[in-house]
Amino acid sequence: MLNLIIKDIAIQKKTLLYALLYSIFAPIAFFSKGPSGFGLYVLSPVVTAYMLISFAVSYDEKNKSEIVLNSLPLKRKDIVLSKYISVFVFAFIGIIYSILVGFIGKATGLPMFAASISLLNIILVLTSVCIFTSIFFPVYFKFGYIKMNFFNVILFMSFLFVPTATIEYATSNPNNVLVQKINYFINNTSSFTQNSLAIIICLIIFLISLMISIRIYKNKEF
């Protein structure tokens, strides 16, 4: 299983470079969007993880890797599990990129690099990637990457723009009933409780998605 994860990283040298360039671009492009550091420490790692996930399955489909893998003494369950575990590896690559860019960027004195990464940033990255994966992989294992291209574009655009649009809406409409309830919950609940709740919900969704994907892949014909 570890070799499958290493394989997904090794085949993406160019993608890793593009992801690093995006980590430099994101804090500049999204500096005025959302809280301080959002572009660099949240959006950038999420997009990096998305890029690595998407290109990994794209390469698999292009090179018909699934046919080869299923001819080897590998359990289909392990093939699916390796994809889900690799998500966290990709997310941490994105986080490391953002930390490095932020560290170097601070030396420039530019305001978009002034913030530092926080525990909340990391939790937002991991929960976002978990939710994305939970939607992406069952569809991928059912239809394949090529057939889900249009769906993939919509999913990517949603994860790219919905969070920033939501933050902007909440900031511009503080008197909205739903916004007030969310603010009340945030202001009257400890950070530990909020983070724990977010992690638990995402892990439940993630595990349900994993079981669905395993079931789909076990019954798939090649």
Side-chain angles (χ1 to χ4, degrees), residues 19 30 47-48 61-62 80-81 130 144-146 161-162 165 169 176 179 189:
F30 296 95
V47 173
T48 294
E61 189 140 331
K62 180 181 178 181
V80 175
L81 192 56
C130 277
Y145 186 75
I146 294 176
F161 292 110
V162 168
Y169 178 82
N176 180 276
V179 172
T189 310

Side-chain angles (χ1 to χ4, degrees), residues 37-111:
F38 177 80
L40 177 58
Y41 296 117
V42 178
L43 190 59
S44 175
V46 169
V47 173
T48 294
Y50 165 83
M51 290 171 62
L52 293 171
I53 293 166
S54 298
F55 278 101
V57 297
S58 175
Y59 283 128
D60 281 347
E61 189 140 331
K62 180 181 178 181
N63 299 312
K64 302 187 183 301
S65 299
E66 287 187 327
I67 296 175
V68 176
L69 290 175
N70 280 278
S71 67
L72 299 174
L74 292 170
K75 294 181 179 179
R76 291 195 174 189
K77 175 183 176 182
D78 291 338
I79 295 174
V80 175
L81 192 56
S82 70
K83 291 295 185 188
Y84 275 77
I85 294 175
S86 68
V87 165
F88 295 103
V89 177
F90 295 155
F92 278 110
I93 288 174
I95 291 170
I96 291 170
Y97 274 179
S98 67
I99 291 173
L100 289 174
V101 171
F103 179 77
I104 296 172
K106 283 181 181 179
T108 66
L110 295 173

Side-chain angles (χ1 to χ4, degrees), residues 94 121 140 166 209 217:
N121 294 147
Y140 163 71
T166 301
S209 173
Y217 200 66

